[in-house]
Amino acid sequence: MTKGKVYFVGAGPGDEGLITVKGQKAIEKADVILYDRLLNPKLLEAAAFDCELIYCGKTPYTTGISQGEINELLVSKALEGHRVVRLKGGDPAVFGRVGEEAESLKDEGIPFEVIPGVTSSIAASMYAGVPVTHRDYGRSFAMVTGHDQTRKDIDWNGLVSIDTVAFYMGVANLPSIRENLINHGKPGNTPALVIQWGTYGRQESVEGTLDDIVERVSGRSLGNPAITLVGDIISLRGKLQWFERKPLYGQRFLVARTGTAKSALAEALYELGGEVIEFPKWNAAKVKIEESQLLAFLSYDRILFTSPESVHGFLDSLTEQAIDFRRISSKLYVLSRKSKKALQQRGLTAELKSGMPEAGTLLVVGDRNRDLRDPAHGDGDYIQSIAKFVDERFLEIFPRMLDGKAVGTVLFSNRHSVDMLMQYGNKANVDVEALLKQASIGVIGESTGNRLQDYGFTSDMMPKEPSVEQLVDLIVNRNVF
């Protein structure tokens, strides 16, 4: 059997936008992905549906999958002929053990490639408002592992002469780091900064000096993953902060998803500095429609599309059968603005269902099995143009996405999103009811609010007009946490 190839890919520090283009392409083409705890699980959504996802997470001072087991997995999967991605948080060459893992491949004659990523110390520092170099404050920069008390191995005399020093994963050893720096000549009034979960919306920073940073961090109960930065350059932070000044910084959202398309709501919250978890993850598969059926469908007076996926499935079937879109004489209607936009992208116009007349023959085009169709869509005939289903690989991942800071706000865009979060959240062994009880809840539209009430919950936010824009404005203006 032909040997596969392994790609060591730096996933960046947390913000999913910091993945490199080359890294993203490697994820998309992978047959197997071995991924770490500290990367953003959202990056895994780019993987193909048949890609095997293997969690290799390790937490400090606990036992988990061993490095030897990871090496064996890389070798065995590659020897099976697979295209393997070893997805690592930050940069694989910066305390990422890429050397050890690559050596195990070299010994077996397995080809590999390393795709660098944005390393955490540089990204987290800049997201906290501190460049690691500056011609007036810091012309030298060092990265040091702070994971273990390695006082004998670290050249502390050399470090105190470096303008800016970043310690990785050193919160537990912060007292030792402070003691060694001061004992080897670093002034106690040297600025220090600890950044937890850097570049995520949950990022938290504690600023002080070597003299008091341990007490300040202890008072805020910060822990790993964190970067500890030491140097005069931290004094620039007051001028250069940008991420922590975004209107939704520090807020964590859960958006209940019902489709495969990018969520405009999630994108808007992310751009405003919020950390957004989306669940469930959806995939879609084609449903074959015969030419004779498609031609018959074009004779209906009205066609109602229930989702963007149903739009694309129907129109793709027309294209495959070489049927000209211009033969559609029906009036087109949609349930959402997102579906309306999907039609516009294909050169067709539609109106919202609220404006649909009762008269005339009706075809409902959906993405669910006929037995699961929503009676509220109308009494017309029904066709499923595409099969949409939840990607159950993410049931295991969802609880880990919820680790750390509690979700402050849960958002629902339609009735179906309420049902799906309840059903698949519980299937993922997440106590959804407990999560909703401790969070603020936002909905788009009365129908969604009514469905929420069926489960015993009431919404805290509902815009006057059912739109993403108005819900986001409501969140920003009410400063919901």
Side-chain angles (χ1 to χ4, degrees):
M1 180 180 289
T2 303
K3 291 178 182 176
K5 184 175 181 179
V6 176
Y7 295 80
F8 295 95
V9 177
D15 184 336
E16 65 265 28
L18 295 179
I19 184 76
T20 65
V21 173
K22 192 169 185 178
Q24 177 83 3
K25 288 181 178 178
I27 294 171
E28 293 169 356
K29 295 178 181 179
D31 301 314
V32 180
I33 297 177
L34 282 70
Y35 65 98
D36 281 348
R37 177 179 74 98
L38 293 181
L39 61 86
N40 192 330
K42 193 170 180 62
L43 294 172
L44 299 172
E45 294 189 4
F49 178 65
D50 57 355
C51 176
E52 182 182 5
L53 305 178
I54 302 174
Y55 180 59
C56 296
K58 292 180 283 188
T59 56
Y61 313 111
T62 62
T63 57
I65 185 169
S66 70
Q67 188 59 53
E69 290 172 315
I70 293 173
N71 296 350
E72 290 174 7
L73 273 171
L74 289 172
V75 170
S76 64
K77 293 297 181 181
L79 288 177
E80 290 171 8
H82 295 303
R83 186 184 182 103
V84 182
V85 164
R86 178 70 171 104
L87 194 57
K88 294 172 169 286
D91 182 282
V94 181
F95 307 121
R97 292 191 168 180
V98 69
E100 299 171 44
E101 295 178 8
E103 279 185 301
S104 67
L105 300 175
K106 187 69 175 176
D107 293 342
E108 297 291 337
I110 297 169
F112 63 88
E113 187 172 323
V114 181
I115 301 174
V118 180
T119 190
S120 301
S121 62
I122 295 173
S125 300
M126 197 64 258
Y127 270 55
V130 180
V132 294
T133 64
H134 188 285
R135 65 180 181 177
D136 294 329
Y137 293 90
R139 298 187 177 221
S140 57
F141 171 60
M143 294 181 284
V144 184
T145 177
H147 189 276
D148 297 308
Q149 294 190 28
T150 52
R151 282 176 283 184
K152 294 181 181 179
D153 300 327
I154 293 176
D155 179 9
W156 293 102
N157 286 318
L159 278 186
V160 296
S161 65
I162 301 292
D163 294 319
T164 310
V165 182
F167 293 90
Y168 282 65
M169 305 294 282
V171 173
N173 295 325
L174 194 55
S176 175
I177 291 170
R178 173 177 68 178
E179 177 186 357
N180 277 284
L181 287 174
I182 292 177
N183 287 346
H184 287 81
K186 205 74 169 175
N189 63 356
T190 303
L193 178 68
V194 176
I195 310 155
Q196 184 184 40
W197 290 111
T199 80
Y200 281 93
R202 74 187 102 156
Q203 174 179 306
E204 189 169 355
S205 305
V206 174
E207 185 176 352
T209 65
L210 284 178
D211 282 332
D212 63 12
I213 192 64
V214 172
E215 292 72 26
R216 287 176 180 264
V217 168
S218 177
R220 293 274 288 276
S221 300
L222 261 63
N224 287 320
I227 293 292
T228 298
L229 205 65
V230 178
D232 291 335
I233 202 166
I234 294 168
S235 61
L236 290 172
R237 184 167 179 251
K239 296 179 180 178
L240 301 182
Q241 275 183 286
W242 60 276
F243 180 63
E244 295 177 359
R245 289 177 178 167
K246 286 194 171 189
L248 297 182
Y249 163 73
Q251 301 186 38
R252 206 172 193 211
F253 301 88
L254 171 59
V255 174
R257 289 175 71 171
T258 59
T260 59
K262 286 186 176 181
S263 166
L265 176 57
E267 287 281 309
L269 298 171
Y270 165 76
E271 288 297 324
L272 292 169
E275 181 180 354
V276 187
I277 300 168
E278 297 178 74
F279 184 81
K281 164 73 167 62
W282 294 83
N283 280 306
K286 289 182 180 179
V287 171
K288 185 172 178 57
I289 308 175
E290 299 297 333
E291 181 182 10
S292 58
Q293 289 180 291
L294 286 167
L295 290 172
F297 295 152
L298 303 186
S299 65
Y300 283 81
D301 297 317
R302 301 167 294 159
I303 299 179
L304 171 66
F305 295 97
T306 66
S307 68
E309 292 86 359
S310 67
V311 168
H312 292 304
F314 186 79
L315 298 182
D316 287 346
S317 294
L318 291 179
T319 301
E320 289 170 6
Q321 299 288 355
I323 299 174
D324 195 327
F325 292 178
R326 289 172 294 183
R327 296 183 65 176
I328 300 177
S329 60
S330 317
K331 289 283 290 182
L332 306 181
Y333 298 91
V334 292
L335 294 182
S336 68
R337 289 177 173 82
K338 190 180 290 186
S339 297
K340 185 175 183 178
K341 184 177 181 180
L343 279 165
Q344 288 174 337
Q345 291 170 342
R346 306 292 287 264
L348 298 169
T349 58
E351 296 179 22
L352 292 173
K353 182 181 180 292
S354 57
M356 186 174 74
E358 295 293 330
T361 55
L362 171 65
L363 174 69
V364 179
V365 180
D367 54 29
R368 303 189 220 171
N369 186 282
R370 184 185 301 274
D371 297 336
L372 299 175
R373 64 173 295 187
D374 190 337
H377 295 161
D379 296 328
D381 295 329
Y382 181 84
I383 182 69
Q384 182 183 11
S385 68
I386 200 162
K388 192 172 67 174
F389 53 93
V390 169
D391 188 338
E392 297 205 357
R393 293 175 302 175
F394 284 79
L395 297 182
E396 175 195 343
I397 295 170
F398 183 46
R400 292 199 295 270
M401 296 172 74
L402 295 173
D403 283 347
K405 184 174 182 177
V407 170
T409 309
V410 182
L411 301 170
F412 299 97
S413 58
N414 53 46
R415 293 172 58 89
H416 188 45
S417 67
V418 179
D419 294 331
M420 291 300 95
L421 182 62
M422 293 294 186
Q423 178 182 342
Y424 285 97
N426 290 326
K427 198 170 182 180
N429 294 318
V430 170
D431 189 341
V432 177
E433 292 189 359
L435 191 155
L436 290 174
K437 285 178 182 177
Q438 56 116 38
S440 295
I441 303 174
V443 300
I444 299 179
E446 290 185 11
S447 175
T448 308
N450 293 337
R451 187 59 181 149
L452 191 64
Q453 288 179 349
D454 293 339
Y455 288 94
F457 295 93
T458 56
S459 63
D460 302 293
M461 296 172 290
M462 183 175 69
K464 293 181 180 179
E465 295 295 328
S467 72
V468 167
E469 295 78 13
Q470 287 209 13
L471 180 58
V472 171
D473 286 343
L474 194 58
I475 291 169
V476 172
N477 290 334
R478 289 181 60 173
N479 198 27
V480 178
F481 287 86

